[in-house]
């Protein structure tokens, strides 16, 4: 397979699988940490009006969704890319960071959570994915541009 085709597929797979992980955690989050009584988490107006009822425990699952989605997406891209694997991992992290910035502008949340989420959940997870990917691929012959 040509390297450019493999790299494009690596990016697509990273975005799709990272998004699947993110959405699975976001969807299952209220089952693990229920929202405060009377809050409809699927309604932005309800979230905005009820945000004062949310405690730190309610932000654990969204943070994990963002961090693990970025980690998985970046790791998949790193492992599948033919060349420039770290760059593709960071590209996936940046893609999800842009989504996190957009979400922080649309969904009300405390400033502490927004800062924690944007600073820790995206690019550091892409870095971690590249470290894990490098270790996983150490036994194989790695491309020289890793």
């Amino acid at each position: 397979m040509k390297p450019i085709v493999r790299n494009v597929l690596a990016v697509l797979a990273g975005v799709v699988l990272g998004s699947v992980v993110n959405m699975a955690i976001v969807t299952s989050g209220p089952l693990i940490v229920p929202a405060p009584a009377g809050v409809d988490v699927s309604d932005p107006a309800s979230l905005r009006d009820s945000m004062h009822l949310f405690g730190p425990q309610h932000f654990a699952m969204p943070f994990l969704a963002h961090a693990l989605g970025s980690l998985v997406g970046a790791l998949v891209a790193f492992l599948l890319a033919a060349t420039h694997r770290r760059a593709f991992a960071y590209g996936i992290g940046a893609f999800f960071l842009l989504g996190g910035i957009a979400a922080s502008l649309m969904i009300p949340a405390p400033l502490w959570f927004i800062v924690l989420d944007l600073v820790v959940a995206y690019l550091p997870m892409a870095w971690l994915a590249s470290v894990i990917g490098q270790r996983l691929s150490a036994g194989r012959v790695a491309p020289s541009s890793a």
Side-chain angles (χ1 to χ4, degrees), residues 11-67:
V11 170
L12 291 174
V15 167
V16 168
L17 291 174
S19 297
V20 166
V21 168
N22 184 322
M23 287 310 298
I25 296 171
V26 166
T27 302
S28 64
L31 301 173
I32 298 166
V33 181
V39 178
D40 179 4
V41 294
S42 64
D43 178 16
S46 177
L47 276 175
R48 183 181 54 252
D49 296 341
S50 306
M51 192 52 62
H52 66 282
L53 300 173
F54 284 76
Q57 71 276 15
H58 295 105
F59 297 97
M61 296 310 283
F63 176 79
L64 283 175
H66 301 163

Side-chain angles (χ1 to χ4, degrees), residues 5-21 69 72-81 92 96:
V5 172
R6 187 168 170 178
N7 289 341
V8 168
L9 292 175
V11 170
L12 291 174
V15 167
V16 168
L17 291 174
S19 297
V20 166
V21 168
V72 167
L75 182 59
V76 166
F78 184 96
L79 293 173
L80 295 180
I92 296 296
F96 283 109

Side-chain angles (χ1 to χ4, degrees), residues 55-106:
Q57 71 276 15
H58 295 105
F59 297 97
M61 296 310 283
F63 176 79
L64 283 175
H66 301 163
L68 294 178
S70 296
L71 177 69
V72 167
L75 182 59
V76 166
F78 184 96
L79 293 173
L80 295 180
T83 60
H84 309 290
R85 296 182 302 167
R86 279 198 180 103
F88 286 110
Y90 278 108
I92 296 296
F95 173 82
F96 283 109
L97 174 61
L98 290 174
I101 292 169
S104 72
L105 297 173
M106 293 185 286

